[in-house]
Amino acid sequence: MRRSEKKWMERDELTTPFLAPESDENPASVAAELRDRMVKVEQQVLAQYTATAAYATLAQQGAEHVRAEARADLDRTQSTIMGLLDRLRDEATMRLDAISGRPASSAAELSSSTDERVALLEDRMNAVLNALDTTRRDNAHLRAQVDELLQRQMQEDGWLVSNGSASELRLG
């Protein structure tokens, strides 16, 4: 019996015997019944403890599995991003190599008139500017693809909960 007070028994309850003196019940049979009930309660408590421990073990194994899958997903995403960046770097290097080798100027051309040399420099500058502009557009396109891939992956994994985007995420 639970009471709101800190004392769970009143004083007169402490002085009254467990079995009434005029009771027909045998104290040994009452004690045996109480012992049986206590054994049942103990078994129920142990069963509950065992079930709780089993659920905790399953939860821990599930958490470890999820952690391992998340790590594998992160590794795959990093590998994809690194591959795309390597491809962009290779393409940019090829374009810059093509630009540097495009106008093959000889000593005779350099000794020609100033107007021709200025025109040649302007052509080279325009080629470099075009290559840089193309590289900038390709870089922006690649960045958009990487952001989209990252955002899609994070949404599938349940990382994005609010209205934020993947590019707004930072490590704190």
Side-chain angles (χ1 to χ4, degrees), residues 109 112-123:
E109 291 175 351
S112 64
S113 71
T114 308
D115 292 337
E116 290 177 15
R117 290 194 313 189
V118 169
L120 184 62
L121 285 174
E122 285 178 351
D123 288 343

Side-chain angles (χ1 to χ4, degrees), residues 101-154:
R102 187 181 293 168
S105 58
S106 64
E109 291 175 351
L110 292 177
S111 64
S112 64
S113 71
T114 308
D115 292 337
E116 290 177 15
R117 290 194 313 189
V118 169
L120 184 62
L121 285 174
E122 285 178 351
D123 288 343
R124 282 185 176 176
M125 187 58 72
N126 285 335
V128 168
L129 288 175
N130 287 338
L132 286 176
D133 188 47
T134 303
T135 302
R136 182 193 56 81
R137 276 185 275 134
D138 290 347
N139 191 7
H141 181 67
L142 180 63
R143 183 178 299 165
Q145 286 178 336
V146 168
D147 281 346
E148 180 183 337
L149 174 68
L150 183 61
Q151 188 169 5
R152 185 178 328 133
Q153 184 69 34
M154 292 173 77

Side-chain angles (χ1 to χ4, degrees), residues 30-87:
V30 172
E33 183 182 343
L34 283 175
R35 188 174 344 111
D36 290 341
R37 286 185 180 184
M38 286 300 294
V39 167
K40 287 180 183 177
V41 168
E42 182 182 12
Q43 289 173 347
Q44 289 174 349
V45 169
L46 288 176
Q48 187 67 33
Y49 175 76
T50 304
T52 304
Y55 287 133
T57 302
L58 290 174
Q60 183 179 8
Q61 289 172 351
E64 289 171 1
H65 178 70
V66 167
R67 189 177 296 124
E69 280 192 20
R71 183 64 191 174
D73 287 345
L74 177 64
D75 290 343
R76 280 193 299 272
T77 303
Q78 285 177 344
S79 175
T80 302
I81 290 172
M82 294 303 289
L84 290 172
L85 289 174
D86 287 341
R87 193 173 101 198

Side-chain angles (χ1 to χ4, degrees), residues 1-56:
M1 177 188 313
R2 189 171 198 184
R3 301 204 179 181
S4 61
E5 301 173 4
K6 289 186 178 181
K7 295 188 293 181
W8 59 280
M9 288 182 124
E10 295 294 324
R11 287 181 193 252
D12 58 344
E13 290 177 348
L14 290 174
T15 58
T16 58
F18 183 70
L19 292 174
E22 60 273 349
S23 172
D24 293 338
E25 297 182 42
N26 182 4
S29 67
V30 172
E33 183 182 343
L34 283 175
R35 188 174 344 111
D36 290 341
R37 286 185 180 184
M38 286 300 294
V39 167
K40 287 180 183 177
V41 168
E42 182 182 12
Q43 289 173 347
Q44 289 174 349
V45 169
L46 288 176
Q48 187 67 33
Y49 175 76
T50 304
T52 304
Y55 287 133

